[in-house]
Structure formats: C-alpha cells, structure tokens
Amino acid sequence: MLENHKPHNSLYIIDNSGSIVDRYDKMFCAGTEEENTDDLLHFSPGDHFSTFEIDGIKCGVLICHEFRYPELYREYKKMNVEIMFHSYHAGNMNPTRKADMEATVGKENFEFNFGKTIPEITMPSTMISYATNNYLWISCSNTSAKESCWASMTVRPDGIVVGKLDKNKDGILITEIDTDKKYYDATKFWRNRAMNGIYHSGNLVEDSRSKIKMRFKNLKLIKVCNRIMKHF
C-alpha cells in the first residue's frame, strides 16, 4: 500500500531465525524547521523507541544524527537497556566534500583534536561519553565507504574502546560482551537521582552564602574594576 507521506529512515530488527521482529524509525532527522533540507527533505520522523532482547539482555537502537540528543540515551537507560546499537552513515565523501569539512574545523585546530572533520571528532567521542555516562555497551557501526569519517567500534560501559575496524576498509567487528562483568562507574550511586530530577549527590545543608545571587557578585566586581580604572 502506497502511503501519502515521505518514507522513514529505518532499522529492522531481525532475529536468528531470519524473522523481522521490530522496526525502528529514526525520530530525529537532521534538517530545518521548514523540513526542506537534509534528512527531513526526504524522510518523515519516527515516533517510538525500539527495544529487544538477545539472550535476555535488553538492547536498543538509534540512527546517526540522533547522537546529538543525550535525552534519547537517558530514555533507553530508564528502560534498563544494557546494549545500544547505534548505526551511522558518516562517509562516502568525495574529495571536495572532505576538504570543505576539514576547512570548517580549520587546519590550525587539527593538532588539538582526534580528527579533521566534525563527524570524526564528535561522533566517536560522544559515543564514549554516552557509554560511561549511562553505563552502557555501545556498538557504533559506520559505513566503510571511502572517504569514511571514522571506523566502526565498540565501547564498554566505562568508556573504553574495546574493538575497532580500519577506516575505509570492509570488515566485521566481533566483540565479546559480558554484561555481568563490573566496570568503573563513578555515577552509579546518583545517576537515577539525576534522571528523576534531583540534581545533587549526598544531603543538602543550609548555607546562607550559597543564596547570594551571582549577579550581585558581578555588580560588585564591576564596581571594583571601575574604582581601579579611576586610578589610571
């Protein structure tokens, strides 16, 4: 049946018998509010999360641009997801596109970063931070079509990359995942509290000095600066 709307950008979940058990439609497609650029020019946004189990381990999925929305990972964490499969297509760039992306970063900044394009710099590092912030395994698959921005990798819950393919080369990454093994988790005592809107650890105390608004401090600082300037 042909429906009167743009299609979705989708991931299909297929079990080990070859049956389709679920479909995830990308909820955050890149583009402007007018929906006439980037993904939104061609695709409709989805409206639901997708979870499934592998050997009793709860998993979730996201697609590419959705790495820019930490709220999505928090929602999956609330669902007790332990492994995320995040699928990317940051590649297949021609030389002109690659040069434009590198120019955006600026060659004067290459030495300070782990890459020369915004996807190469931001996507892997964000996956590492999401893994450790949410205590999740993340499988980050990216296209190997040249020029690929970065290589597919797996990140464990403490933010350590435990497997990576070669960029621009076909390959299969096999990672052994043991969700029972414990890794360093500095936020395990307070993460649920933060997710429930309580933004502090431990017990609060009454301290009158904490109530002073910063704007008053700034005004005092301005007055001090003015006094100093008058002496010159």
Side-chain angles (χ1 to χ4, degrees):
M1 178 179 177
L2 184 63
E3 298 177 340
N4 187 27
H5 60 70
K6 290 178 285 189
H8 292 91
N9 184 348
S10 305
L11 282 175
Y12 285 88
I13 313 303
I14 303 173
D15 66 16
N16 56 2
S17 69
S19 300
I20 296 175
V21 296
D22 199 1
R23 188 183 92 164
Y24 171 72
D25 299 329
K26 186 177 182 181
M27 294 187 288
F28 281 93
C29 299
T32 62
E33 292 178 343
E34 289 76 20
E35 300 188 22
N36 58 6
T37 61
D38 299 311
D39 287 355
L40 285 173
L41 177 62
H42 307 286
F43 298 106
S44 300
D47 65 356
H48 65 277
F49 291 89
S50 177
T51 63
F52 54 97
E53 290 191 1
I54 300 177
D55 291 336
I57 307 300
K58 199 168 189 179
C59 306
V61 293
L62 288 172
I63 300 174
C64 207
H65 174 72
E66 293 180 318
F67 87 100
R68 290 189 171 272
Y69 304 90
E71 297 84 357
L72 301 181
Y73 269 83
R74 280 303 202 206
E75 288 300 319
Y76 273 120
K77 182 64 178 180
K78 290 177 183 178
M79 299 177 199
N80 297 315
V81 163
E82 296 185 73
I83 304 173
M84 285 294 302
F85 293 90
H86 200 133
S87 179
Y88 288 86
H89 190 274
N92 199 26
M93 296 188 299
N94 59 46
T96 300
R97 174 62 173 158
K98 183 173 182 289
D100 288 343
M101 296 184 75
E102 291 179 353
T104 298
V105 172
K107 63 181 181 180
E108 70 276 9
N109 297 315
F110 289 170
E111 63 178 303
F112 309 123
N113 292 282
F114 297 105
K116 296 181 179 180
T117 66
I118 289 177
E120 185 177 12
I121 295 167
T122 62
M123 289 177 174
S125 60
T126 301
M127 293 294 90
I128 291 170
S129 70
Y130 284 0
T132 188
N133 289 343
N134 296 287
Y135 198 78
L136 294 166
W137 285 87
I138 306 180
S139 170
C140 321
S141 61
N142 187 33
T143 178
S144 61
K146 192 172 181 179
E147 182 70 41
S148 177
C149 291
W150 53 275
S152 299
M153 63 182 190
T154 303
V155 189
R156 72 187 192 192
D158 58 354
I160 303 301
V161 176
V162 295
K164 182 185 289 186
L165 296 178
D166 294 325
K167 190 166 68 172
N168 299 324
K169 293 182 180 180
D170 294 343
I172 297 174
L173 179 61
I174 299 175
T175 306
E176 183 175 336
I177 294 177
D178 182 358
T179 56
D180 290 328
K181 187 174 181 179
K182 302 302 180 184
Y183 297 96
Y184 178 69
D185 183 12
T187 54
K188 64 182 178 181
F189 298 109
W190 310 111
R191 183 183 293 110
N192 287 339
R193 175 182 281 194
M195 290 193 298
N196 289 319
I198 303 173
Y199 301 120
H200 64 83
S201 60
N203 297 309
L204 295 179
V205 299
E206 286 295 328
D207 187 341
S208 59
R209 294 168 299 178
S210 300
K211 306 302 181 183
I212 298 174
K213 301 297 184 182
M214 286 303 298
R215 64 174 179 271
F216 295 129
K217 292 183 178 180
N218 292 335
L219 285 174
K220 290 179 181 179
L221 179 61
I222 292 171
K223 289 179 180 179
V224 171
C225 291
N226 288 337
R227 291 195 193 102
I228 294 173
M229 293 299 293
K230 289 178 181 178
H231 291 288
F232 290 91

